[in-house]
Amino acid sequence: MSKLYNVAVVGATGAVGNEMVKILEEREFPVRNLKLLASERSLGKYIEFKGENIPVEVLSENSFKGVEIGLFSAGGSVSQKYAPIAASDGCVVIDNTSAFRMEPDIPLVVPEVNPEEIAHYKNRGIIANPNCSTIQMVVVLKPIYDAVGIVRVVVSTYQAVSGTGKKAIEELAEQTRALLTFGEIKPKVYPHQIAFNCLPHIDVFLENGYTREEMKMVNETKKIMKDPNIAVSATTVRVPVFYGHSESVNVETKKKITAAEVRALLEKAPGVCVVDNPAQNEYPLAIYAAGRDETFVGRIREDLSIERGINMWIVADNVRKGAALNAVQIAEILIQKYL
Ligand code: 25A
Ligand code: L14
């Protein structure tokens, strides 16, 4: 019989943690024992895994004895504190927060792009899962980069509220209901009304005028693609969508490539699904990407304003490929090759 692993999900009752549990079951990850961890607020809750109701336990320093793989998604401060504790107990941490992503000795991995980096989990026992908007973009950029090189990327995002977690999903639903029934709304999670609105503001503003979400896209793209010379300019926008981030991406390539050539490249690319048939009104849409594993790309066309430019529309389920699925894919490679 093949080997089974003791797995812990930290933040199991959250939007991403819940999806991690589902994906472990769906993909038949070889789990011996599944430990569900969250804060005291979740005590008394159960989550179903393979037909069994598993009680949620309160995260503590002793949670990781005998655990081999820890999937973390409970926020940056939880990871800062508990990922090193887990690692010192011999648990390999796959961390969904931004806590460790830019640390040079911690691998930042998208399996379709840089799976070989997983080997460096040995440095600190931690592998970082990139930002959701970055993951879906680099999955599409990589084949283009390998074929013709990339000089510059200009991206604007249209991000779903599920990226912020459960409270934000509830906030969009409540505001929508209230506004349609002439009720009052009181923004809590976001600084302004999100229903029927777009907010050019994700994560906090930095001194350079960009948000931290925008700078994650800049810095993480360079690290994952292993090319500090790729210029990236990002504007990240929250839109009233529950699941699925959309992105308008403009790429300036080193060598000329046509739209047809890009389409042909992406049709063969792992994890990518080309949906590009404007004559039939077919292009990627968040409502169809939700619940799916692929990164969808369409509206592929040449940029008429420069010599070597391509425009695309890229959509993926931010909670799956953007977070939980990517983490489980990393875990799959980890056990196949290293554990
Ligand atoms: O701002 P931060 O700290 O960086 O956190 C960012 C948030 O983004 C989500 C996740 O939200 C996180 O809290 N997230 C993290 N990584 C992500 C990624 N890659 C990501 N989102 C997208 N992509 P979430 O609400 O979906 O999930 C939070 C989970 O973490 C557990 N948790 C929180 N603090 C913890 C902790 N676990 C251990 N120790 C801690 N200190 C959290 O469990 C959940 O599993 P919980 O028990 O705290 O919450 C269970 C339910 O309670 C509600 N709730 C949340 N906060 C409060 C609350 N109720 C009352 N008061 C609150 N303050 C939630 O609805 C939740 O369902
Ligand atoms: O850095 O609120 O992975 O949509 C990505 C989603 C931070 C929060 C990250 C959101 C998160 C963000």
Side-chain angles (χ1 to χ4, degrees), residues 96 98 101 131-132 159-160 163-164 202 213 216 238 245:
N96 254 291
S98 56
R101 288 179 190 151
N131 166 265
C132 39
Q159 296 185 218
T164 318
I202 297 184
E213 183 78 351
K216 285 177 216 163
R238 183 83 57 197
H245 289 355

Side-chain angles (χ1 to χ4, degrees), residues 96-99 101 129-133 135 159-165 168 189-190 201-203 212-213 216 220 238 245 318 322-323:
N96 254 291
T97 75
S98 56
R101 288 179 190 151
N129 198 73
N131 166 265
C132 39
S133 300
I135 292 176
Q159 296 185 218
V161 296
S162 51
T164 318
V189 176
Y190 299 120
H201 175 182
I202 297 184
D203 210 333
R212 187 156 18 181
E213 183 78 351
K216 285 177 216 163
E220 293 181 23
R238 183 83 57 197
H245 289 355
N318 55 299

Side-chain angles (χ1 to χ4, degrees), residues 10-17 37-43 45 56 58-59 72-78 82 96-98 101 129-132 162-167 170 318-319 322-324:
V10 179
T13 52
V16 172
L37 299 163
S39 76
E40 317 70 51
R41 289 189 292 265
S42 291
L43 205 56
K45 285 190 189 168
V56 176
V58 177
L59 174 65
F72 278 57
S73 192
S77 54
V78 173
Y82 290 96
N96 254 291
T97 75
S98 56
R101 288 179 190 151
N129 198 73
N131 166 265
C132 39
S162 51
T164 318
K166 271 194 168 172
K167 280 174 288 179
E170 287 156 20
N318 55 299
V319 175

